[in-house]
Amino acid sequence: MARKLIVANWKMNPDTPREARELCAATKRTAAKVGRGGAQVVVCPPAIFLADLATNPGRLAFGAQDVAALPVATGAFTGSLSATMLRHVGAEYVIAGHSERRAMGDTDEVVNKKIKIALRQNLKVILCVGETTRDHHGHYLATLKNQLLHSLAKIDKKSFSKIIIAYEPVWAIGVNAKESDTPADFLHNAIFIKKVVASIAGATAAKNLSILYGGSVTEKNAASFLTEGGADGLLVGRASLDPVKFKQIINLAS
Ligand code: PGA
């Protein structure tokens, strides 16, 4: 069985380099303990901490939380970080299309550009998709389909081996979320995602696709998403900032 992928999305946390080092060190110890046979842990810190933390990765892999939608490595783009820069400081993964970036203006077209640029730099992409509200008639599936079709437009089939999908229902993310999704609904939605990917890139790409669950993952619900829900891994926000909780999640996934 493939290793589960446990991704820590630190978002805009913590506020000092020292805290970032401490949090990373704790996660690194856990990853070292579970070893090669355990879950693959990917830490996505704020880009400003990435270079420092990734110099001594241990068994961790690192990812960036975002990348500029610019097809160049350098240039006059104040405030932007290129895929090349991120790769050179140790990122192996990049998150694209997180709902919090979408809320700040990233459209599917922008996400599509970011994915293509990241792939060109040999970064693995964690593409986030998810509906804002869930209805009982399944209309939300059209939202998922749209996000997938447009975000993955004109990407060659071979590149799909470097793409991971994180299904993150927006209503289940963050401090204001009342609940997480259920493992059964995740499983249903993951199958739907595979069907859409099969229509874009073929059955093999869909079969080999890893799909993560994200949205209020805790040490209490992690196991059920991985077993009952059949998730290939988890994208963890808040709980990844708590070394004790995150350790439990990594252990459960190992
Ligand atoms: P959360 O965030 O685990 O804090 O809900 C998940 C995410 O947004 O990736």
Side-chain angles (χ1 to χ4, degrees):
M1 228 173 68
R3 301 171 73 189
K4 301 288 186 189
L5 195 65
I6 303 299
V7 184
N9 178 10
W10 288 3
K11 308 191 179 183
M12 200 170 74
N13 298 287
D15 65 354
T16 66
R18 191 176 139 197
E19 287 169 282
R21 267 182 234 126
E22 283 168 6
L23 179 57
C24 189
T27 305
K28 200 165 125 184
R29 280 194 296 273
T30 308
K33 272 200 197 116
V34 300
R36 213 190 288 274
Q40 169 67 64
V41 183
V42 181
V43 174
C44 301
I48 197 160
F49 300 139
L50 180 63
D52 174 34
L53 302 180
T55 46
N56 189 4
R59 286 213 187 277
L60 297 175
F62 285 88
Q65 296 175 13
D66 191 28
V67 62
L70 297 163
V72 288
T74 56
F77 302 100
T78 304
S80 297
L81 298 174
S82 73
T84 326
M85 292 170 183
L86 294 169
R87 189 169 52 79
H88 283 308
V89 299
E92 202 181 313
Y93 293 80
V94 65
I95 298 174
H98 191 280
S99 59
E100 287 155 13
R101 301 281 354 147
R102 291 180 189 267
M104 285 182 236
D106 278 17
T107 60
D108 287 324
E109 287 63 36
V110 171
V111 174
N112 180 251
K113 274 194 197 148
K114 292 184 174 182
I115 294 174
K116 286 176 179 158
I117 287 158
L119 290 171
R120 223 174 293 142
Q121 288 307 320
N122 235 345
L123 290 165
K124 291 176 202 146
V125 172
I126 301 166
L127 166 63
C128 302
V129 295
E131 76 283 359
T132 341
T133 48
R134 176 76 61 84
D135 62 284
H136 295 294
H137 304 286
H139 295 312
Y140 73 94
L141 294 172
T143 307
L144 292 184
K145 186 174 177 180
N146 255 316
Q147 288 178 341
L148 290 164
L149 292 180
H150 293 109
S151 304
L152 296 171
K154 299 204 176 93
I155 287 171
D156 74 285
K157 288 186 186 177
K158 272 191 286 178
S159 297
F160 277 76
S161 62
K162 292 198 166 291
I163 297 173
I164 294 145
I165 307 284
Y167 171 63
E168 295 208 306
V170 182
W171 51 266
I173 294 176
V175 278
N176 296 324
K178 290 192 185 66
E179 55 191 354
S180 67
D181 200 359
T182 64
D185 281 352
F186 169 77
L187 180 60
H188 174 258
N189 295 328
I191 292 168
F192 178 80
I193 289 169
K194 288 212 175 208
K195 272 167 118 173
V196 178
V197 169
S199 77
I200 305 171
T204 311
K207 185 171 160 278
N208 297 332
L209 183 71
S210 289
I211 306 184
L212 317 181
Y213 171 73
S216 297
V217 171
T218 65
E219 72 289 4
K220 295 194 179 77
N221 62 19
S224 63
F225 282 105
L226 296 170
T227 53
E228 288 159 57
D232 298 300
L234 302 164
L235 180 49
V236 188
R238 281 157 296 158
S240 73
L241 299 170
D242 180 325
V244 177
K245 289 182 183 166
F246 198 50
K247 180 180 178 174
Q248 289 179 42
I249 294 171
I250 295 168
N251 287 341
L252 286 167
S254 299

